[in-house]
Amino acid sequence: MRLSKEVKIGLFITTTLVVFYMGFSFLKGRTIFKHDPTYYTIYEDVKGLSTGGSVLLNGLQVGKVRTLDILPSQNYGIRVTFTIDKGKNVKLTDATVAKLVNNSLIGGKAIELSVKEGNSLQNGDTILGQVEQDLEKILAAHSLPILQDVKDITVLTNQFMTQLVENSGQINAVCTNLVMAVQELRQAVTTNQTALNTIGRNLAEASSAFADNEIGWRPLLARLHQLTGEVENMKMKNMATKLDNILDRLADGTLYNDLNQSLADLDKLLVDIRTNPSRYVSLSLFGRNTVDKNPKDK
C-alpha cells in the first residue's frame, strides 16, 4: 500500500508536533510516560524560581518543579507543585520542610528538602515551606553598617578640613615660631660650641675615671665593702668582750653576791615600810602635815 504525498506530509507534521510537545514538556519538567508522586508547598515570594526548577535533597536533585499558581484566597501566596522521582526512593514525612534556596549566583532558585522523622506523606499532600534569606538582602544588611561608617568618616574628615582652613593663620604662626626657635637654638649651639666641647671632654674624662680599674667605682665599692665588714667585726668584738666580763663575774661569784645583797636590802626596806609607814606617808585631816611625835625614830 502506497501512501500519497499528502498523507506523508500529514504524518511528518504530526510526528514533528508530537516530538516538539514532548521536548517542550520535558524542558518544562513535565512527565509524559510516568506518574511521579506530586506534592505542594506555599511561599509568599518565589522570585527566581521557575517551572522545571530543581528539587534537591542533600545537594542531589530528586525532583522538579511542575507549576507555580497564585492563591488569591491566601493573600496571593504562591503554591508550588513539584514531583519526586520514583527511582530516587525518597520517602517524605509530615515533618519535612521545603526551603527555597539560592541555586546560583545569578539569582536562580531551587527547593531544598529537609526530611525528618515523622508520618509518611501521601501523594498530593502539602509540605511546610520556608524561604532562605536572599543573598542580596544579606549583602545589603552587612554593607549598610560599613556605608554608615564611611559616611561618618567622611563627615569627620570634612569637619577637620574645615577647621584646618579656619585656623590656617594660627597654624602658620605656630610654624613660623617653630622655625625661629630652631634657628635660635642652632645659633646658640654654634656660639657655645667651644663650651659644649669642653663639657663633653670633661664628661668623657669623668667616665674614664669611673671606669678605671684602680681608682674607679669598682675599687671604691670594694673598699666601702671592706670598711663595712671591719665596722661589723668591731661591733662583734665589743659585744663579745662585754659578754666575757659578765660570764667572768658569774664565774667568780661577784655578780651573784651583788644580786643577793641588793635583794636583802630591798627586803629590809619593804619590812621597814610595812612596820613604820608613817616615815614614808604623812596625812592631815586639816590640809597640813602632822609633826612626828617620835623624833628618835628618824
Side-chain angles (χ1 to χ4, degrees):
M1 177 180 177
R2 296 184 63 182
L3 298 176
S4 63
K5 185 176 181 180
E6 291 78 4
V7 173
K8 291 180 180 179
I9 294 174
L11 290 175
F12 176 75
I13 294 173
T14 302
T15 303
T16 302
L17 292 174
V18 170
V19 172
F20 178 78
Y21 174 76
M22 292 176 61
F24 181 76
S25 298
F26 177 78
L27 293 176
K28 295 290 288 184
R30 300 173 183 173
T31 56
I32 299 175
F33 300 107
K34 62 179 180 178
H35 299 282
D36 294 327
T38 303
Y39 301 96
Y40 303 95
T41 186
I42 298 175
Y43 302 105
E44 294 181 358
D45 186 0
V46 292
K47 181 181 179 181
L49 183 66
S50 60
T51 56
S54 300
V55 178
L56 307 175
L57 178 61
N58 296 333
L60 178 66
Q61 182 174 341
V62 295
K64 288 186 177 182
V65 176
R66 300 306 179 191
T67 59
L68 302 173
D69 302 312
I70 298 178
L71 302 176
S73 60
Q74 297 186 22
N75 199 19
Y76 292 95
I78 307 299
R79 183 180 64 184
V80 179
T81 304
F82 64 91
T83 58
I84 300 297
D85 189 357
K86 286 184 177 180
K88 300 298 183 180
N89 194 24
V90 176
K91 297 181 180 179
L92 303 183
T93 64
D94 55 1
T96 301
V97 176
K99 181 180 290 186
L100 190 63
V101 298
N102 296 312
N103 194 33
S104 66
L105 297 176
I106 59 175
K109 297 285 188 177
I111 296 177
E112 178 75 29
L113 298 176
S114 176
V115 181
K116 301 179 181 179
E117 294 184 359
N119 299 323
S120 298
L121 292 178
Q122 301 298 324
N123 186 21
D125 288 341
T126 300
I127 299 174
L128 177 64
Q130 293 181 356
V131 178
E132 184 182 49
Q133 189 173 3
D134 190 74
L135 181 61
E136 182 178 352
K137 295 180 179 179
I138 295 175
L139 293 176
H142 285 81
S143 60
L144 284 177
I146 299 174
L147 294 176
Q148 184 63 35
D149 293 340
V150 173
K151 182 179 178 181
D152 294 340
I153 293 172
T154 304
V155 172
L156 292 175
T157 303
N158 291 333
Q159 293 177 355
F160 174 76
M161 295 301 296
T162 302
Q163 294 178 0
L164 188 64
V165 172
E166 292 177 354
N167 299 303
S168 58
Q170 297 179 359
I171 295 173
N172 292 331
V174 171
C175 292
T176 303
N177 293 332
L178 288 175
V179 171
M180 293 175 63
V182 171
Q183 291 177 353
E184 292 177 357
L185 180 61
R186 183 181 299 172
Q187 184 178 358
V189 171
T190 303
T191 304
N192 299 285
Q193 186 67 43
T194 304
L196 292 176
N197 293 334
T198 303
I199 293 173
R201 285 194 299 270
N202 293 335
L203 290 175
E205 292 176 358
S207 299
S208 300
F210 275 113
D212 192 277
N213 293 327
E214 295 182 357
I215 61 172
W217 61 273
R218 290 185 179 177
L220 179 60
L221 291 178
R223 290 169 186 169
L224 289 175
H225 181 71
Q226 182 179 0
L227 180 60
T228 304
E230 292 177 355
V231 172
E232 293 294 333
N233 291 333
M234 292 177 62
K235 291 181 179 179
M236 293 298 294
K237 288 179 180 180
N238 292 333
M239 187 181 295
T241 303
K242 293 178 180 179
L243 183 61
D244 288 339
N245 293 333
I246 294 173
L247 293 176
D248 291 339
R249 296 183 64 185
L250 287 174
D252 59 12
T254 304
L255 182 61
Y256 178 74
N257 294 331
D258 293 341
L259 290 174
N260 282 337
Q261 184 63 38
S262 298
L263 291 174
D265 294 339
L266 181 61
D267 184 61
K268 290 179 181 181
L269 178 61
L270 293 175
V271 171
D272 186 60
I273 291 172
R274 187 170 60 252
T275 306
N276 302 301
S278 60
R279 293 182 178 179
Y280 306 95
V281 181
S282 179
L283 300 175
S284 175
L285 296 175
F286 299 99
R288 57 189 181 89
N289 295 332
T290 57
V291 180
D292 191 1
K293 295 180 180 181
N294 298 319
K296 295 181 180 180
D297 297 336
K298 293 183 179 180

